Amino acid sequence: MVVSVLFSCGSRKRKHKSSKSKHRTEHVQRKEDSRKIENTDTPAETQEIVVPKAVSSTDEYIKLYSDIAMEEMKFYNIPASITLAQGILESGSGRGRLAVEANNHFGIKCHEWTGASIRHDDDEDQECFRKYKDAKYSYRDHSLFLTERKRYSGLFELDIDDYKGWAKGLRAAGYATDRKYPEKLISLIERYQLYTYDDVVTGKAPKRAKSSLSNPEDVHYVVKGDTLYSISRRYNISVKELQKLNGLRDTTISIGQALIVKS
């Protein structure tokens, strides 16, 4: 799914929606603040783009961008779990063309953008999308959009870690036309336990969990064929210790689950 941007300057113009895209999400032009998006006034032909690291899986995407999502949560009070889930969904876990070639993880279109850009088929053929110097600026643009659009103000009255409320609220406020958008976000958050990053920011996570989530080497993401025993052998730790570190009552684990593997 690719996100389109609508802008509000006096009167608001609606864009024609073609049959190419069944569901659509929207973004609006945002004002610059003290943490403005870089490269807006850098000529496209001279701007240096940080080539993103190739992402092979959703687990790797989470490891690469979780720190950025948590930082955005600290600045803008948007759950890191929501930001990560939207990034995963909108960018295809960082493997979509806009993410790979333009560091654009939320499908934000040009509209008065003076920096580098890329052409990509969306609602219409070869539309203009923003090209960021670094993916972190795409995350910042996403944060500014949600905080500066009045229709989303109600979301910030929810508990900061209420990811279910945020997922449903985004759809209700008009962020996406896909009726299953909230369920998709919630499914990603629960499958990959993205709510743990909210806990790190709010301080609800145990100290050992904070340390582990900050260091990807201390976390193992369960893949098909894994068992607690095989994981314990891999990290030279006992099954009992694994259970203790992760609050497990038995040996049941699920694909995508994040396990702390270092005490």
Side-chain angles (χ1 to χ4, degrees):
M1 179 187 300
V2 181
V3 180
S4 64
V5 184
L6 297 179
F7 292 83
S8 178
C9 292
S11 62
R12 179 175 145 199
K13 295 182 180 179
R14 293 193 175 220
K15 186 177 177 78
H16 173 69
K17 178 180 176 183
S18 77
S19 59
K20 287 188 177 182
S21 177
K22 182 178 180 182
H23 299 299
R24 182 169 60 87
T25 53
E26 60 123 4
H27 273 280
V28 296
Q29 173 74 336
R30 80 287 175 280
K31 298 177 181 179
E32 300 291 342
D33 70 357
S34 59
R35 294 177 293 276
K36 67 179 181 179
I37 305 301
E38 290 192 7
N39 81 329
T40 54
D41 54 2
T42 303
E45 62 273 13
T46 61
Q47 178 180 309
E48 294 184 8
I49 302 297
V50 177
V51 179
K53 180 180 178 181
V55 181
S56 60
S57 66
T58 300
D59 289 332
E60 187 174 0
Y61 182 91
I62 294 167
K63 292 178 183 178
L64 286 172
Y65 298 106
S66 57
D67 283 346
I68 295 176
M70 287 191 288
E71 190 70 10
E72 293 301 303
M73 182 175 178
K74 293 175 184 176
F75 277 130
Y76 295 99
N77 295 321
I78 300 168
S81 58
I82 286 291
T83 301
L84 281 172
Q86 288 188 287
I88 292 168
L89 187 60
E90 306 291 349
S91 74
S93 296
R95 287 171 284 184
R97 178 171 179 259
L98 291 177
V100 173
E101 298 183 22
N103 285 315
N104 191 333
H105 288 238
F106 300 92
I108 303 179
K109 294 183 180 180
C110 289
H111 299 290
E112 301 181 14
W113 175 258
T114 60
S117 63
I118 184 174
R119 294 286 173 175
H120 183 75
D121 293 345
D122 186 36
D123 295 329
E124 297 178 2
D125 293 338
Q126 294 297 288
E127 292 190 85
C128 183
F129 288 83
R130 300 182 182 191
K131 190 172 186 179
Y132 299 95
K133 179 179 179 181
D134 190 288
K136 64 184 179 181
Y137 299 125
S138 176
Y139 272 74
R140 177 54 51 85
D141 225 357
H142 169 265
S143 296
L144 291 172
F145 159 67
L146 289 179
T147 56
E148 295 181 357
R149 186 70 164 173
K150 289 184 178 180
R151 69 171 62 187
Y152 301 109
S153 60
L155 293 173
F156 295 91
E157 296 178 7
L158 299 171
D159 289 339
I160 193 172
D161 56 357
D162 181 8
Y163 64 86
K164 290 184 179 180
W166 269 81
K168 295 174 183 177
L170 283 168
R171 169 71 174 79
Y175 187 94
T177 59
D178 185 353
R179 290 182 298 175
K180 295 185 178 180
Y181 194 74
E183 287 77 8
K184 290 178 180 179
L185 293 182
I186 292 171
S187 177
L188 285 168
I189 290 169
E190 295 183 345
R191 177 182 178 183
Y192 294 101
Q193 298 185 325
L194 302 181
Y195 48 77
T196 57
Y197 298 102
D198 298 339
D199 292 343
V200 170
V201 177
T202 61
K204 293 182 180 180
K207 290 183 178 179
R208 61 174 179 269
K210 292 182 184 181
S211 176
S212 296
L213 288 169
S214 298
N215 184 1
E217 295 179 358
D218 293 345
V219 178
H220 175 83
Y221 292 86
V222 178
V223 297
K224 186 177 180 180
D226 275 349
T227 64
L228 275 188
Y229 178 72
S230 66
I231 296 171
S232 70
R233 291 289 299 273
R234 178 175 178 178
Y235 294 98
N236 194 29
I237 187 175
S238 69
V239 171
K240 192 171 184 179
E241 183 66 12
L242 271 177
Q243 291 175 310
K244 181 179 179 181
L245 284 172
N246 294 280
L248 301 176
R249 296 182 178 180
D250 53 33
T251 58
T252 302
I253 54 178
S254 58
I255 295 176
Q257 183 175 353
L259 294 177
I260 299 170
V261 294
K262 185 176 181 180
S263 60

